[in-house]
Amino acid sequence: PGLVLVGAAGSGDGCVSLWKGRSAALRREGVHRKAINSLFTCTDATAAFVSGGADGLVVLWNTAIEAVKVLDMALLGNPP
């Protein structure tokens, strides 16, 4: 039996929170360096959700808010 979560949120300071009811059940700082401007909930076992930030990072998270994978879009260079 795990934590039943009802929502995820990203903030302007780069923090990620998972919510249970009206309270933040888990919160993680220090992965995104700038505002989080997108979140996508996953339905497979690889990750619980994905966040995208103004820092150019795309992060795959598990339900414990641990970064499973961090992709730095700046390393891809500029499109032609």
Side-chain angles (χ1 to χ4, degrees), residues 28 31 59-62 65-70:
R28 180 75 64 216
V31 176
V59 183
L60 281 67
W61 302 90
N62 64 19
I65 314 186
E66 297 167 334
V68 176
K69 181 84 173 176
V70 179

Side-chain angles (χ1 to χ4, degrees), residues 3-79:
L3 184 65
V4 177
L5 301 168
V6 296
S11 66
D13 63 359
C15 293
V16 175
S17 300
L18 293 183
W19 292 78
K20 180 179 180 182
R22 295 181 187 187
S23 301
L26 297 169
R27 180 176 165 89
R28 180 75 64 216
E29 300 174 357
V31 176
H32 281 286
R33 297 178 303 273
K34 294 184 179 179
I36 297 171
N37 43 18
S38 61
L39 283 174
F40 177 78
T41 304
C42 302
T43 57
D44 65 12
T46 306
F49 63 99
V50 178
S51 61
D55 54 6
L57 299 180
V58 175
V59 183
L60 281 67
W61 302 90
N62 64 19
T63 55
I65 314 186
E66 297 167 334
V68 176
K69 181 84 173 176
V70 179
L71 306 168
D72 189 344
M73 302 308 285
L75 297 177
L76 296 177
N78 294 326

